[in-house]
């Protein structure tokens, strides 16, 4: 079996980074400036700016505007290698990572930052019926389903004179669920009103079902209330203490109530990457690895767990699995590795024992066009909602995009879409099957010739 040393002929330290998300990219960029040999491994060749995935899911942006090849991001760091492969195990005594291709990577320091995935709470059979939103592929699948629902309704109206209600159900009222709900309402009410001749896109119904007493549970109560008000203004119905007990093609069951749904989307839960358990360290119920103040698992100061995969607590609360903590963990891990290696080469390694501390700048969630909530903690403290929160959210997210080209392109696209109500990237690719639709509406009797002629006339 091949063993890749991931290093030059010199005695430089070898750092293997598993995961090309926010934490992994920050580690590689920081260490890329130092005399170390770094190998970054990811199953995909691109880094995705996940906070904007929902904009791809609803056709406002294209995938290339929120994703960038990892090699392009790291091309200026000559000591960083990028490997498109998948880690499937670890040999901790020998300090090796086992790869899916059969290769093994040796390391002196290991950073594992493989993020999280969807959790269906033991009902994985729901996954094909209610996609979540974690990857570009998820986003394009959601886009396909949402846009296809409007297209099938238009075709159904032409062929039979009626179409089923366009009902969209989002399970989960966290930031992702709120963003998806508001965006669906926006495109239906504002961006597609002139695109169809036989249906009224603005008649689409959007519902959020949240199992807890409130949406955006991590936000202050006044912002939760503002979020509900803004969602209601967009026509989105919010139901809290509503537990979804079953999902089937074309409908969901809330307690004992059947709710029809042309499209069902999942935003209710996440679980850590399976690599956390493969490491063999203690994990929490979501699969996050318990780490110490240096982001190390028990007994392994050479291993760092970062991002969504790490269980880190401050002030008695676990840090949220969002971009800012992941970026700060990645930067911290890189600096600690730099100090440890400096000490190995005779330096005093000043600051090597400084623990990780999360600098909380606040949280933001967009709800729709000119609608958002923001819990600002830096550079000032305040609660914003409405258009001011939306503008703040816009600039913050553009600022943190990887690469200037992405920032400029996205800001230009947003401005054009906002001013002109243009079509964005509303493309349907892949299958034309929508779960539940064909089974219920695909075999209706053909209308008469007179009815067909009547239906051929555009609506007035």
């Amino acid at each position: 079996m091949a063993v890749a040393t991931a290093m030059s002929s010199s005695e430089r330290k070898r750092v293997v980074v598993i995961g090309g998300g926010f934490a992994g990219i920050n580690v590689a960029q920081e260490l890329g400036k130092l005399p170390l040999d770094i190998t970054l491994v990811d199953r995909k060749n691109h880094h995705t700016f996940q906070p904007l995935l929902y904009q791809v899911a609803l056709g406002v942006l294209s995938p290339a505007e929120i994703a960038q090849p990892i090699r392009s991001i790291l091309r200026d760091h000559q000591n960083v290698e990028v490997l498109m492969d998948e880690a499937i195990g670890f040999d901790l005594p020998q300090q090796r990572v086992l790869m899916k291709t059969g290769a093994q990577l040796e390391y002196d320091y290991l950073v594992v930052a493989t993020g999280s995935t969807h959790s269906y709470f033991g009902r994985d059979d729901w996954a094909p019926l209610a996609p979540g939103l974690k990857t570009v592929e998820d986003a394009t699948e959601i886009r396909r389903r949402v846009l296809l629902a409007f297209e099938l309704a238009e075709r159904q109206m032409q062929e039979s004179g009626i179409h089923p209600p366009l009902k969209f159900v989002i399970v989960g009222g966290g930031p992702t669920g709120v963003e998806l709900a508001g965006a669906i309402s926006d495109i239906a009410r504002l961006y597609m009103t002139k695109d169809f001749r036989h249906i009224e896109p603005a008649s689409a119904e959007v519902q959020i079902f949240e199992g807890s007493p409130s949406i955006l549970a991590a936000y202050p109560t006044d912002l939760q209330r503002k979020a509900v008000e803004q969602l209601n203004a967009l026509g989105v119905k919010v139901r809290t203490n509503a537990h979804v007990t079953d999902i089937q093609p074309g409908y969901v069951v809330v307690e004992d109530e059947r709710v029809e749904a042309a499209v069902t989307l999942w935003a209710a839960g996440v679980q850590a990457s399976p690599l956390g358990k493969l490491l063999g360290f203690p994990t929490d119920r979501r699969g996050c690895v318990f780490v110490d103040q240096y982001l190390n698992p028990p007994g392994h100061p050479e291993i760092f767990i970062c991002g969504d995969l790490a269980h880190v607590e401050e002030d008695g609360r676990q840090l949220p699995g969002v971009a800012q903590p992941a970026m700060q963990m990645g930067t911290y891990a890189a600096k600690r590795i730099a100090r440890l290696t400096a000490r190995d080469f005779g330096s005093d390694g000043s600051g090597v024992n400084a623990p990780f501390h999360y600098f909380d700048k606040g949280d933001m969630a967009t709800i729709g066009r000119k609608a958002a909530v923001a819990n600002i903690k830096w550079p000032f403290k305040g609660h914003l909602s409405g258009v001011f929160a939306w503008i703040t959210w816009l600039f913050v997210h553009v600022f943190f995009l990887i690469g200037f080209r992405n920032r400029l392109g996205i800001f230009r696209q947003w401005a054009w879409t906002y001013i002109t109500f243009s079509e964005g990237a509303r493309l349907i690719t892949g299958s034309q099957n929508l779960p539940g639709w064909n089974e219920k509406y695909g075999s209706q009797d053909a209308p008469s010739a007179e009815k067909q002629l009547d239906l051929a006339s555009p609506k007035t």
Side-chain angles (χ1 to χ4, degrees):
M1 184 177 293
V3 177
T5 60
M7 66 178 292
S8 66
S9 59
S10 68
E11 293 301 319
R12 301 204 307 184
K13 296 295 183 179
R14 300 158 297 186
V15 182
V16 173
V17 182
I18 310 297
F22 288 109
I25 290 293
N26 273 265
V27 170
Q29 288 180 321
E30 289 289 331
L31 294 182
K33 309 168 187 175
L34 304 176
L36 302 168
D37 289 313
I38 301 105
T39 301
L40 188 148
V41 181
D42 197 282
R43 293 181 300 168
K44 298 177 182 177
N45 78 326
H46 57 271
H47 167 81
T48 302
F49 191 81
Q50 287 190 337
L52 294 182
L53 271 175
Y54 85 97
Q55 297 258 332
V56 174
L58 277 306
V60 177
L61 298 173
S62 68
E65 289 170 312
I66 69 158
Q68 189 171 356
I70 296 172
R71 294 184 185 278
S72 297
I73 298 171
L74 302 174
R75 63 160 60 109
D76 293 333
H77 301 290
Q78 297 301 313
N79 60 330
V80 179
E81 293 183 341
V82 178
L83 184 63
M84 187 174 171
D85 204 341
E86 182 178 356
I88 60 171
F90 303 90
D91 183 344
L92 299 186
Q94 296 297 318
Q95 296 192 181
R96 294 177 178 177
V97 183
L98 313 181
M99 310 308 297
K100 189 174 183 178
T101 56
Q104 297 182 9
L105 294 179
E106 294 183 340
Y107 63 84
D108 294 297
Y109 294 97
L110 173 65
V111 180
V112 186
T114 47
S116 59
T117 185
H118 316 297
S119 172
Y120 289 88
F121 308 114
R123 292 299 305 267
D124 291 343
D125 56 309
W126 291 353
L129 304 173
L133 186 58
K134 281 290 183 183
T135 66
V136 169
E137 291 82 0
D138 293 337
T140 54
E141 173 61 14
I142 290 174
R143 182 182 69 186
R144 183 190 73 83
R145 295 192 186 202
V146 171
L147 298 181
L148 186 58
F150 289 100
E151 293 291 344
L152 293 178
E154 175 83 351
R155 187 173 73 191
Q156 194 79 21
M157 191 67 178
Q158 279 189 281
E159 293 176 351
S160 65
I162 59 172
H163 72 84
L166 284 167
K167 294 186 176 182
F168 299 88
V169 166
I170 292 94
V171 184
T176 299
V178 166
E179 289 167 349
L180 284 170
I184 292 173
S185 177
D186 268 355
I187 66 167
R189 295 182 313 108
L190 302 176
Y191 296 97
M192 297 200 298
T193 55
K194 297 180 180 179
D195 290 357
F196 295 89
R197 300 293 179 263
H198 299 279
I199 66 170
E200 294 286 353
S203 67
E205 299 179 19
V206 185
Q207 295 186 75
I208 295 176
F209 293 108
E210 167 57 43
S212 69
S214 62
I215 63 169
L216 298 177
Y219 286 67
T221 54
D222 62 319
L223 292 182
Q224 294 174 0
R225 185 175 61 254
K226 289 290 187 181
V228 172
E229 292 173 359
Q230 292 177 85
L231 286 166
N232 290 339
L234 294 174
V236 176
K237 298 177 181 178
V238 178
R239 289 178 56 178
T240 55
N241 293 312
H243 298 275
V244 172
T245 56
D246 196 14
I247 298 176
Q248 293 297 326
Y251 68 93
V252 302
V253 178
V254 183
E255 308 296 350
D256 295 323
E257 176 189 358
R258 172 171 167 151
V259 179
E260 300 297 321
V263 175
T264 303
L265 304 178
W266 185 261
V270 296
Q271 61 186 357
S273 159
L275 277 188
K277 293 182 178 179
L278 290 177
L279 281 163
F281 302 119
T283 61
D284 63 16
R285 61 183 179 82
R286 291 195 299 141
C288 302
V289 178
F290 288 103
V291 297
D292 61 17
Q293 59 185 337
Y294 306 118
L295 304 182
N296 303 134
H300 284 271
E302 80 284 0
I303 299 176
F304 295 83
I305 312 296
C306 298
D308 295 4
L309 192 59
H311 183 110
V312 180
E313 293 189 9
E314 288 198 3
D315 301 324
R317 297 181 61 184
Q318 183 177 356
L319 296 185
V322 294
Q324 275 299 318
M327 295 169 72
Q328 293 184 32
M329 287 184 207
T331 300
Y332 171 84
K335 289 182 177 179
R336 181 163 169 79
I337 290 172
R339 289 164 179 162
L340 288 170
T341 54
R343 190 172 62 181
D344 290 341
F345 286 106
S347 171
D348 62 1
S350 177
V352 69
N353 291 321
F356 171 75
H357 172 66
Y358 173 52
F359 179 31
D360 188 359
K361 300 176 183 178
D363 300 296
M364 301 182 186
T366 183
I367 295 169
R369 179 183 166 92
K370 298 189 292 185
V373 291
N375 180 21
I376 306 297
K377 297 183 180 180
W378 182 88
F380 61 89
K381 291 187 176 181
H383 296 173
L384 303 179
S385 62
V387 65
F388 293 110
W390 182 77
I391 292 173
T392 303
W393 172 90
L394 173 66
F395 280 99
V396 166
H397 282 74
V398 169
F399 177 79
F400 282 113
L401 277 173
I402 302 294
F404 178 76
R405 179 186 60 81
N406 295 57
R407 298 175 194 171
L408 185 61
I410 286 181
F411 188 79
R412 183 171 58 244
Q413 178 64 29
W414 262 333
W416 179 254
T417 302
Y418 179 81
I419 294 170
T420 66
F421 293 93
S422 64
E423 66 276 4
R426 295 203 300 272
L427 305 177
I428 298 175
T429 57
S431 169
Q432 293 189 15
N433 178 62
L434 191 61
W437 189 287
N438 291 347
E439 295 86 342
K440 292 162 61 177
Y441 310 113
S443 59
Q444 294 192 11
D445 294 335
S448 64
E450 292 80 7
K451 185 67 174 176
Q452 289 181 7
L453 288 173
D454 181 61
L455 290 172
S457 301
K459 66 185 179 183
T460 56

